[in-house]
Amino acid sequence: MENNHIVKSFDQELKQIENFILEMGGLVEIQIHESVKALGNRDIELAKKVRDDDKTVDNLEIKIDELTLRTLALRQPVATDLRSVICALKVASNLERIGDYAKNIAKRTQVLADTNSVGTAEKTIKRMADLVQKMVTDVLNAYVKKDIEMADDIRLRDEEVDHMHNTLFRELLTYMMEDPRNITPCMHMLFIAKNLERMGDHTTAIAEKIHYVVKGALPKEKRPKGDKTSQMSVENTIEGNQYT
């Protein structure tokens, strides 16, 4: 009887951790959406809200950390249960980082408030954000369902985020070369694009942790990486534009 009570209590703790993860993930989804919406509308008040809301995300991570560590200490789980608790600890960290990147976008929105949009860059930013937000939504569903097929699909979709980042990087370099007045807004847009690309990476990391919980090991296949911006230069961009 006592053993059944312990098992039930442990299950309740796991469910509480899961609920905190979902709450945190839901807030992060809103942060992504609102940060890019604030950018597009040059909405300083909304950008400030995104920054303020990040404190709630941070506090949820602390709650998850405390609960998972307490569970590890008191329940001493093994096998799948142990992996589930460790996974929650790491997923919370990934979500917190995604929230930080959304906050960074909001900060740059406040700087860009008095500038005009440059070319089609903000449309690409919006598409990137929509894709990343959908990845976050899906990875949370995969986390609850322990669905490794969905998780593996999310890993593949991150490559599309990388390709969009590459395209935007070249585009913004071109705008800066065409007119020095574009340098300041384009530099901020480059950082915003990088924030979104990193969100995709953290979402993919969550997907890999789901695989670890279910299978007991990370995926054997290396994560597809399409980010080539570290290899790009002004010279390469000029040369590439001559043939497009």
Side-chain angles (χ1 to χ4, degrees):
M1 187 70 177
E2 183 180 353
N3 189 52
N4 289 338
H5 175 71
I6 293 173
V7 171
K8 184 177 180 181
S9 297
F10 178 64
D11 288 342
Q12 289 173 342
E13 288 172 4
L14 287 180
K15 188 63 179 177
Q16 187 178 9
I17 292 170
E18 181 181 287
N19 289 339
F20 278 143
I21 291 286
L22 293 178
E23 182 181 355
M24 191 177 181
L27 289 173
V28 166
E29 288 180 71
I30 294 171
Q31 278 187 293
I32 297 170
H33 173 74
E34 291 186 341
S35 64
V36 176
K37 182 179 179 181
L39 172 66
N41 296 336
R42 299 298 191 267
D43 189 334
I44 295 178
E45 288 302 315
L46 185 57
K48 183 178 183 302
K49 177 182 178 297
V50 173
R51 294 176 65 183
D52 291 342
D53 287 349
D54 192 57
K55 297 172 186 175
T56 305
V57 174
D58 291 344
N59 288 335
L60 276 170
E61 185 194 19
I62 292 171
K63 286 184 179 180
I64 293 167
D65 286 353
E66 291 174 347
L67 185 54
T68 52
L69 292 175
R70 178 177 177 275
T71 301
L72 287 170
L74 296 180
R75 307 300 180 190
Q76 298 182 358
V78 296
T80 302
D81 289 338
L82 176 60
R83 294 197 298 271
S84 295
V85 176
I86 293 174
C87 175
L89 193 65
K90 293 180 178 293
V91 167
S93 177
N94 288 127
L95 289 173
E96 190 275 335
R97 290 300 298 142
I98 294 172
D100 281 348
Y101 289 127
K103 181 177 70 174
N104 289 344
I105 293 174
K107 287 180 179 178
R108 294 187 184 279
T109 294
Q110 292 177 297
V111 177
L112 291 168
D114 296 326
T115 66
N116 295 321
S117 58
V118 180
T120 60
E122 288 186 24
K123 291 182 179 179
T124 305
I125 289 287
K126 177 66 167 57
R127 291 199 302 273
M128 283 183 72
D130 288 344
L131 180 56
V132 169
Q133 186 179 338
K134 184 66 167 61
M135 287 172 65
V136 172
T137 300
D138 289 346
V139 86
L140 291 171
N141 288 332
Y143 173 77
V144 172
K145 298 175 182 178
K146 301 297 183 286
D147 187 334
I148 60 172
E149 289 186 5
M150 185 184 295
D152 288 343
D153 177 66
I154 291 164
R155 292 179 74 237
L156 296 176
R157 280 151 57 186
D158 184 52
E159 194 169 11
E160 185 178 351
V161 177
D162 290 341
H163 288 318
M164 294 174 76
H165 183 221
N166 293 338
T167 300
L168 187 57
F169 191 93
R170 292 192 190 95
E171 181 182 349
L172 290 169
L173 278 183
T174 301
Y175 291 139
M176 287 189 283
M177 289 185 292
E178 289 176 348
D179 188 344
R181 290 173 296 182
N182 289 332
I183 291 176
T184 295
C186 284
M187 285 301 298
H188 284 289
M189 294 298 288
L190 282 172
F191 282 114
I192 288 171
K194 186 61 180 178
N195 288 154
L196 289 167
E197 189 270 335
R198 291 296 293 137
M199 288 182 191
D201 287 345
H202 279 280
T203 306
T204 302
I206 295 173
E208 291 176 346
K209 291 175 180 68
I210 295 167
H211 200 285
Y212 168 73
V213 170
V214 176
K215 293 290 188 178
L218 294 172
K220 293 181 180 179
E221 303 81 8
K222 288 187 177 181
R223 182 194 307 185
K225 288 297 295 178
D227 183 14
K228 306 296 183 184
T229 55
S230 62
Q231 304 168 24
M232 294 181 190
S233 66
V234 172
E235 291 78 8
N236 290 338
T237 300
I238 294 173
E239 183 178 346
N241 288 342
Q242 291 175 346
Y243 300 98
T244 57

